[in-house]
Amino acid sequence: MIKEIQGGVCAAKGFTANGVHCGIRKNKTKRDLSLIYSEVIASAAAVYTTNLVKGAPIYVTKKNIENGKAQAMICNSGNANTCNANGVEIAEKTCQLLAKEMGIAADDVIIASTGVIGQPLDITPIANGIPSLVKGLGDYSAYACEGIMTTDTKAKEIAFEFEVGGKTCRIGGIAKGSGMIHPNMATMLVFVTTDCKISPKMLQKALSDDVKDSFNMVSVDGDTSTNDMLSIMANGLAENNEIVCENEDYFAFTKALAAVTQNLCRKIAGDGEGATKLLECKVDGAKDETLAKVVAKSVICSSLVKAAMFGSDANWGRVLCAIGYSGADVDVNKVDVSFRSAKGTILVCKDGAGVPFSEEIAKEILLEAEIEILVSLNDGVGEATAWGCDLTYDYVKINGDYRT
Amino acid sequence: MIKEIQGGVCAAKGFTANGVHCGIRKNKTKRDLSLIYSEVIASAAAVYTTNLVKGAPIYVTKKNIENGKAQAMICNSGNANTCNANGVEIAEKTCQLLAKEMGIAADDVIIASTGVIGQPLDITPIANGIPSLVKGLGDYSAYACEGIMTTDTKAKEIAFEFEVGGKTCRIGGIAKGSGMIHPNMATMLVFVTTDCKISPKMLQKALSDDVKDSFNMVSVDGDTSTNDMLSIMANGLAENNEIVCENEDYFAFTKALAAVTQNLCRKIAGDGEGATKLLECKVDGAKDETLAKVVAKSVICSSLVKAAMFGSDANWGRVLCAIGYSGADVDVNKVDVSFRSAKGTILVCKDGAGVPFSEEIAKEILLEAEIEILVSLNDGVGEATAWGCDLTYDYVKINGDYRT
């Protein structure tokens, strides 16, 4: 039994958060430094970008949570601290300054950065901002959420309550991510907190398994960022028996984790840069799940499918085309395609060939803000879902002049 | 010694061409049916899309040139004849009608189609158009070139003169391709003619080797079409000794072939849907050529790099990011990046980190219509070039409502 609740990353017992404007961004009305804190040391796990070019904070976080423990997460927006000669030094200095201010250990800090690549990051605004950031800690998940946003237009927050071994647990997360979204192994920045008691080893396993069906199935623009990171802290304050193996409790936890991550996936895809529509491609009848994933992701990534959806054009030939070049071994003569939204469902392709359909009804269905592209391969029982968004004028506008 | 000449696909001895409006397209001012004819039976070769969903004409052409011979190429625009239940029947019927009109064999015809996927193709306008198409054959490469265009804004024609064993030969080509351009093994529609005498086997070898460095290195939008085809007819009327092995004559021929294909690559990329700029990514210093190709193509395919180039924004961090997720084994701390155009060259990244540069000069360089992105991996001698274009509002506009 999983129930949505309020509170984001502060929903779980013992977690507080905050976000301030410290001056990395020129716009003084936008928070640019965020903090999440656990009153006790927590189990910690993370997954990271597979990009060979990695942000400096990634290296520092990896080292800091090697022992499976953390107590705070700090993150700045406005600068990715990537491809900077002194990047690691700046990230380590940030952890030290925060640790000193809070009286915790510097190597119990998870650190992340997001923004422009290749511009030196000045420690001064961070150093100046840390005291008020720490002082203001409270039930402020929303401030922390704002502090990590870049081109995001919507805050991405969620929390659930669930039960493990008779104890009520809570899990909540915040995320940012709008452009350069094509995660592989991890995603944009996602911070999850839970008071469920779980060993670091099982926490890492749960997280690594989860991303295969959640963030690795999201794409906004096919570009895998250098700073992707999904991290989680589990502080155990719910007082359930510690989860140390793949038992019933573990699956209760992974189910709650999936509820958080899949909710944030939809929020990230729906708020893709310039997006007017959330696209969900659901593939069934595949020989196996891997094949279903490859097909779903290929459809979601096609620039032509994305542009057609922007124009509410039922151009299903582009869906077939994307299936055909996906690399998956598909019998194209068995493929059915339908479009579905709140306005209804319409079958447009049966056995790999077009069927007559009403363009008027198709248009009405595709004018909605959430579109499902349903693909049946009729060749097995494998299923998968991928999330994306339409390709719009505004994507080009946002990215034609992001840096200046 | 290769010299550019006039005449496109009619430059080579014994070739004539034509293009007419037969009525597949509603717009009566746009030719939609093209023909290229050799007065003698020619050696023929082709490479095709790797998309599992293939246009019906691809199957028919494959069968027709199995014996390495052809005498005519016919192509319609306005309808891809793909994902249609009776597609192969229509394509075969077209070959038969043309063959009857010309007094040639139906299986000596290369056939291609381009346009919307999944809409039935009516044989009537084609049957009605063939007589005038044949009657009007002459030195009309430009008409044939127009008849194969879809969203192309520029005709893509080229011809060269070269020498093989003391004999003057000619080779020329026409191409179409603007959207759904991310060829793999072949490309959009490209028709090449030559009067060089060469065996079908060597002709196929030359073509298959050539595409690896030419059309397979072009991307407009990452979508591999269902109808990609590059075909060539060599009718031997230049009277050189037939090329039957990899001798000096063969290399003289492949050099001329590369001059045609690489010229058409630049033309296709520069006329990408909505494009305002041709992008050329030149990678050197790679461990090997394969790795250089992977890196060059990853940069050219990045939506974020493409959008930055549209905005004339020297956002080199996105170039580094695309190198990092390319999958190639690169030492990112050795990478240098420069931008170059007719206005000059500017170094923006050295050893994987930013260097100070004048934003003003960078802007001036990037405002040009042809931009080179120069990447030095400083790790070997492998080199490669890939061609692409910027991502613009007009790409979205063209594809948001292409079908209706």
Side-chain angles (χ1 to χ4, degrees):
Chain A
M1 181 58 194
I2 295 176
K3 197 181 95 186
E4 189 173 336
I5 55 172
Q6 296 297 307
V9 288
C10 299
K13 264 194 193 169
F15 283 99
T16 48
N18 193 21
V20 298
H21 172 80
C22 74
I24 298 168
R25 291 171 172 283
K26 286 169 201 157
N27 177 355
K28 286 188 181 167
T29 66
K30 166 75 177 72
R31 294 169 209 273
D32 54 14
L33 190 63
S34 294
L35 176 65
I36 304 170
Y37 171 69
S38 168
E39 62 181 56
V40 296
I41 289 181
S43 291
V47 283
Y48 310 93
T49 181
T50 53
N51 199 313
L52 286 183
V53 179
K54 289 186 212 305
I58 302 271
Y59 294 104
V60 176
T61 296
K62 263 190 183 165
K63 186 167 60 74
N64 285 356
I65 66 167
E66 227 168 23
N67 63 351
K69 297 285 171 189
Q71 193 165 5
M73 295 166 170
I74 188 166
C75 176
N76 72 279
S77 57
N79 187 316
N81 194 16
T82 302
C83 299
N84 293 329
N86 69 342
V88 168
E89 194 186 313
I90 295 286
E92 282 178 342
K93 185 76 189 162
T94 303
C95 294
Q96 286 157 13
L97 288 169
L98 180 72
K100 200 176 160 195
E101 186 72 26
M102 305 197 77
I104 63 173
D107 62 2
D108 280 340
V109 177
I110 290 170
I111 182 165
S113 295
T114 179
V116 185
I117 299 171
Q119 293 197 346
L121 175 59
D122 184 8
I123 192 79
T124 317
I126 297 173
N128 292 340
I130 281 178
S132 61
L133 184 70
V134 172
K135 209 168 159 192
L137 274 172
D139 187 14
Y140 302 125
S141 177
Y143 291 171
C145 195
E146 188 196 317
I148 64 175
M149 286 163 71
T150 55
T151 51
D152 304 61
T153 66
K154 293 171 197 155
K156 299 168 189 75
E157 244 190 333
I158 188 75
F160 294 100
E161 202 171 85
F162 60 107
E163 283 211 358
V164 173
K167 297 282 180 183
T168 301
C169 299
R170 285 142 292 258
I171 185 166
I174 57 173
K176 66 89 31 180
S178 192
M180 209 178 262
I181 303 280
H182 184 85
N184 192 1
M185 269 311 286
T187 182
M188 295 299 70
L189 297 181
V190 184
F191 300 106
V192 182
T193 58
T194 180
D195 45 22
C196 179
K197 204 165 187 170
I198 179 167
S199 71
K201 193 181 144 200
M202 295 314 291
L203 190 63
Q204 183 67 53
K205 179 178 166 39
L207 203 66
S208 299
D209 285 349
D210 183 84
V211 292
K212 292 175 197 156
D213 295 322
S214 58
F215 298 104
N216 284 4
M217 295 303 287
V218 177
S219 184
V220 167
D221 51 15
D223 282 81
T224 302
S225 163
T226 51
N227 289 48
D228 288 349
M229 182 166 90
L230 159 62
S231 66
I232 185 166
M233 289 199 288
N235 67 10
L237 293 182
E239 297 183 334
N240 56 298
N241 287 328
E242 190 178 31
I243 300 169
V244 293
C245 64
E246 286 184 57
N247 56 11
E248 202 184 318
D249 291 354
Y250 177 75
F251 293 112
F253 173 72
T254 58
K255 219 172 138 187
L257 178 63
V260 168
T261 56
Q262 300 208 6
N263 180 286
L264 293 174
C265 280
R266 287 175 56 95
K267 286 185 170 144
I268 287 177
D271 191 31
E273 282 179 344
T276 67
K277 287 176 190 179
L278 166 68
L279 306 181
E280 252 181 308
C281 180
K282 293 184 172 169
V283 174
D284 65 25
K287 271 184 203 131
D288 56 45
E289 195 192 316
T290 307
L291 193 147
K293 282 185 172 168
V294 169
V295 168
K297 207 147 175 200
S298 186
V299 171
I300 280 300
C301 289
S302 160
S303 294
L304 289 166
V305 170
K306 289 154 66 77
M309 291 300 103
F310 172 56
S312 302
D313 178 12
N315 198 330
W316 61 269
R318 292 180 180 173
V319 176
L320 263 274
C321 179
I323 295 168
Y325 67 67
S326 68
D329 177 23
V330 168
D331 182 348
V332 293
N333 297 313
K334 287 186 181 173
V335 178
D336 302 339
V337 179
S338 300
F339 294 110
R340 183 163 75 190
S341 76
K343 294 282 184 197
T345 307
I346 192 160
L347 178 74
V348 289
C349 169
K350 175 94 193 138
D351 300 330
V355 293
F357 63 90
S358 156
E359 291 281 352
E360 213 169 306
I361 295 172
K363 195 95 186 172
E364 201 190 355
I365 288 170
L366 294 178
L367 279 169
E368 289 293 295
E370 295 193 3
I371 307 293
E372 289 169 273
I373 303 169
L374 309 175
V375 175
S376 293
L377 302 177
N378 297 307
D379 205 20
V381 295
E383 295 184 345
T385 299
W387 297 273
C389 60
D390 55 347
L391 175 62
T392 70
Y393 300 126
D394 281 351
Y395 178 84
V396 178
K397 189 172 178 184
I398 292 164
N399 288 300
D401 202 14
Y402 170 64
R403 204 177 47 106
T404 49
Chain B
M1 181 56 196
I2 296 176
K3 196 180 95 188
E4 189 173 338
I5 56 173
Q6 296 296 306
V9 288
C10 299
K13 263 193 195 173
F15 284 98
T16 48
N18 194 21
V20 299
H21 172 81
C22 74
I24 298 168
R25 291 172 171 281
K26 286 168 200 158
N27 176 357
K28 287 188 179 166
T29 65
K30 165 75 176 72
R31 296 168 207 273
D32 55 14
L33 192 62
S34 295
L35 176 64
I36 305 169
Y37 171 68
S38 168
E39 63 181 55
V40 297
I41 290 181
S43 292
V47 282
Y48 310 93
T49 182
T50 53
N51 198 312
L52 285 183
V53 179
K54 291 185 212 304
I58 301 272
Y59 294 104
V60 176
T61 297
K62 263 192 184 163
K63 188 168 58 75
N64 285 356
I65 66 166
E66 228 170 21
N67 64 352
K69 297 285 171 187
Q71 194 166 4
M73 295 165 170
I74 188 166
C75 176
N76 72 277
S77 55
N79 187 314
N81 193 19
T82 302
C83 299
N84 293 329
N86 70 341
V88 168
E89 196 184 308
I90 295 286
E92 281 177 344
K93 186 75 187 160
T94 303
C95 293
Q96 285 157 13
L97 289 169
L98 179 72
K100 200 175 161 197
E101 186 71 26
M102 305 197 76
I104 63 173
D107 63 3
D108 281 338
V109 176
I110 291 170
I111 182 165
S113 295
T114 179
V116 185
I117 298 170
Q119 295 198 344
L121 175 59
D122 183 8
I123 192 79
T124 317
I126 297 173
N128 292 340
I130 282 178
S132 61
L133 184 69
V134 172
K135 210 169 157 193
L137 274 172
D139 187 14
Y140 302 124
S141 177
Y143 291 172
C145 192
E146 189 195 315
I148 64 174
M149 285 163 72
T150 54
T151 50
D152 304 63
T153 66
K154 293 172 196 156
K156 300 168 188 74
E157 242 189 334
I158 188 73
F160 293 99
E161 201 171 85
F162 61 108
E163 285 211 358
V164 173
K167 296 282 182 184
T168 301
C169 299
R170 285 142 294 257
I171 185 166
I174 58 173
K176 67 86 35 180
S178 193
M180 211 178 263
I181 303 281
H182 183 86
N184 192 2
M185 267 315 283
T187 182
M188 295 299 70
L189 298 180
V190 183
F191 300 107
V192 182
T193 59
T194 179
D195 45 22
C196 181
K197 203 165 187 170
I198 179 167
S199 71
K201 193 181 141 200
M202 294 314 291
L203 189 62
Q204 184 67 55
K205 179 178 166 39
L207 204 64
S208 298
D209 286 348
D210 183 84
V211 292
K212 292 175 199 157
D213 294 322
S214 58
F215 298 106
N216 284 4
M217 295 302 288
V218 177
S219 183
V220 167
D221 50 17
D223 282 82
T224 302
S225 163
T226 52
N227 288 48
D228 287 349
M229 183 167 87
L230 158 63
S231 67
I232 184 166
M233 289 200 287
N235 68 8
L237 293 182
E239 298 184 331
N240 56 298
N241 288 327
E242 190 179 31
I243 299 168
V244 293
C245 64
E246 287 184 55
N247 56 11
E248 200 183 319
D249 290 355
Y250 176 75
F251 293 111
F253 173 73
T254 57
K255 218 171 139 187
L257 178 62
V260 168
T261 56
Q262 302 210 3
N263 181 286
L264 293 174
C265 281
R266 288 175 54 96
K267 285 183 170 145
I268 286 176
D271 192 30
E273 281 179 344
T276 67
K277 287 176 190 178
L278 166 67
L279 307 182
E280 253 181 307
C281 180
K282 293 184 173 168
V283 174
D284 66 26
K287 271 184 203 132
D288 57 44
E289 195 192 315
T290 307
L291 192 147
K293 281 183 173 168
V294 169
V295 168
K297 209 150 172 197
S298 185
V299 171
I300 279 301
C301 289
S302 160
S303 294
L304 289 167
V305 170
K306 289 155 64 79
M309 293 297 103
F310 173 55
S312 303
D313 178 11
N315 199 329
W316 61 269
R318 293 179 177 173
V319 176
L320 262 275
C321 179
I323 295 168
Y325 67 67
S326 67
D329 177 23
V330 168
D331 181 347
V332 292
N333 296 312
K334 286 185 181 174
V335 178
D336 303 338
V337 178
S338 301
F339 295 111
R340 184 163 73 190
S341 77
K343 294 283 185 197
T345 308
I346 193 161
L347 179 75
V348 288
C349 168
K350 176 92 191 141
D351 300 330
V355 293
F357 63 89
S358 157
E359 291 282 352
E360 211 172 306
I361 294 173
K363 195 94 185 173
E364 200 190 357
I365 288 170
L366 294 177
L367 279 169
E368 290 293 296
E370 296 191 2
I371 307 292
E372 289 170 271
I373 302 169
L374 309 175
V375 175
S376 293
L377 301 177
N378 297 306
D379 204 22
V381 296
E383 294 184 345
T385 300
W387 297 273
C389 60
D390 54 348
L391 175 63
T392 70
Y393 300 126
D394 281 352
Y395 179 84
V396 179
K397 188 171 179 186
I398 291 164
N399 288 301
D401 201 14
Y402 170 66
R403 206 177 45 107
T404 48

